[in-house]
Amino acid sequence: MPGFSDHDGKLLEKWSRSPAAGVEENVKSSSFHLNALWMRTDVVVWNKLYRKDFLNRHHLRFETSFRAAEDDVFCLMLLPHATRVAVIPDRLYWYRRQREGSISSSWDERGAPFMIAVERLMHATEYWKKVGWLDSGLAQGWVSQALRVYLLGHFLAQDYPLPQLSEAEWALLRARCRKWFAMVGNMDAFRSLGKWDFAFCRLLAAPPEGAGWLSRASWKFLSRCRGRRGRYYEVCWRLSLPEGKGGEKTAALEIAAGEEHEELNDES
């Protein structure tokens, strides 16, 4: 798939891809790995051919309420049903990039806006649960990969600042994260992501509520730390609800938060 510029017609090597050829059987039962055929082709739909009877049999259609990033959801919804996947390296489709006014062009460098990505992850996970594939997806690592791409990556990417969200958006994110992790249920499935990724999972699954001013002030101060530690405490501060807004502060909350922070202080 070669990409070319709408401005001058020049070939854009950055957007020109020829994935290595291969065939994979029973994709829905395979474990996630970075070189999986499913990963080589990206989430876009225009570089693939689908059997019509396959789409009809599983009632797979685009979600019409999504005005952007609908490719992502469609691709994720295919996973529980995918059987035989074949990849060819031939460049058969010319993809126009840098078109003036294009929404996707504005996302080229950083991907879809954060809240859109979160909504797509939520929709796909609800579908996986509906068709009975969620537990398999967890065991095989696909759910963890989706979590990393659509949620954790926005928090942990060191090259970009934390997403700039309004107070209302932080509140919505807090609710969405609690709902998503409650729906998935099995937190242990995410331990393999690594220490900091798992720490963020625990934080997002149970954001601090009823935090006292001292806790919030300390998190804001510690957000100045470098790297993931600083990010962790900044997210603690952003997601926390002040005392009186999210329920009463409890001893259990303070003990749990203290244990989490003490554990993370062992690593920079």
Side-chain angles (χ1 to χ4, degrees):
M1 180 274 296
F4 70 95
S5 172
D6 188 56
H7 294 309
D8 53 22
K10 291 183 178 179
L11 185 68
L12 301 172
E13 286 299 332
K14 179 180 180 180
W15 299 107
S16 299
R17 303 170 186 170
S18 295
V23 177
E24 187 170 345
E25 304 285 351
N26 203 22
V27 174
K28 63 182 180 182
S29 299
S30 65
S31 297
F32 166 80
H33 57 93
L34 289 176
N35 197 40
L37 264 64
W38 198 261
M39 297 296 296
R40 297 183 198 175
T41 60
D42 206 347
V43 297
V44 295
V45 297
W46 42 259
N47 66 353
K48 304 176 182 69
L49 291 175
Y50 307 92
R51 291 181 60 96
K52 183 179 178 181
D53 61 337
F54 167 77
L55 298 179
N56 289 338
R57 183 166 63 254
H58 299 293
H59 309 288
L60 292 165
R61 298 293 187 271
F62 269 56
E63 174 53 56
T64 57
S65 65
F66 294 156
R67 303 299 297 172
E70 64 276 16
D71 296 44
D72 299 60
V73 175
F74 186 77
C75 183
L76 293 172
M77 289 171 64
L78 288 172
L79 265 173
H81 310 294
T83 51
R84 192 169 188 264
V85 174
V87 176
I88 60 174
D90 308 55
R91 294 186 172 188
L92 305 175
Y93 186 96
W94 288 80
Y95 187 40
R96 182 172 63 173
R97 307 292 301 190
Q98 300 177 345
R99 180 173 60 82
E100 185 176 354
S102 170
I103 293 177
S104 59
S105 293
S106 65
W107 299 351
D108 282 348
E109 295 301 322
R110 298 190 56 184
F114 185 35
M115 293 307 296
I116 289 181
V118 172
E119 293 297 337
R120 302 309 182 257
L121 175 64
M122 178 68 71
H123 185 88
T125 308
E126 289 174 341
Y127 179 79
W128 293 339
K129 185 172 184 178
K130 175 184 175 182
V131 299
W133 186 77
L134 182 56
D135 289 342
S136 296
L138 274 168
Q140 294 156 209
W142 290 103
V143 177
S144 295
Q145 172 63 11
L147 172 65
R148 177 181 283 139
V149 170
Y150 292 95
L151 184 58
L152 295 182
H154 292 265
F155 288 125
L156 299 175
Q158 300 297 301
D159 298 334
Y160 298 114
L162 199 66
Q164 299 300 305
L165 305 178
S166 66
E167 185 175 341
E169 287 175 324
W170 279 109
L172 177 60
L173 174 64
R174 183 167 53 244
R176 288 289 188 268
C177 288
R178 291 176 70 98
K179 180 179 179 181
W180 189 87
F181 281 100
M183 177 168 49
V184 171
N186 183 10
M187 285 292 293
D188 287 339
F190 304 125
R191 289 185 181 276
S192 61
L193 292 175
K195 181 175 183 178
W196 279 105
D197 295 64
F198 186 62
F200 271 91
C201 287
R202 292 177 62 183
L203 173 61
L204 295 171
E209 292 187 3
W213 69 268
L214 184 59
S215 293
R216 300 189 80 240
S218 66
W219 294 337
K220 187 173 183 180
F221 176 77
L222 290 169
S223 69
R224 301 176 183 177
C225 297
R226 292 183 176 181
R228 294 185 171 188
R229 175 179 293 182
R231 281 291 176 89
Y232 177 85
Y233 287 113
E234 183 175 0
V235 175
C236 278
W237 174 59
R238 295 285 187 183
L239 287 179
S240 63
L241 286 175
E243 193 170 8
K245 289 189 177 182
E248 294 298 319
K249 179 172 59 178
T250 64
L253 170 66
E254 291 296 309
I255 292 173
E259 290 175 348
E260 180 74 47
H261 298 165
E262 183 177 352
E263 176 185 347
L264 292 173
N265 280 335
D266 294 335
E267 182 178 330
S268 60

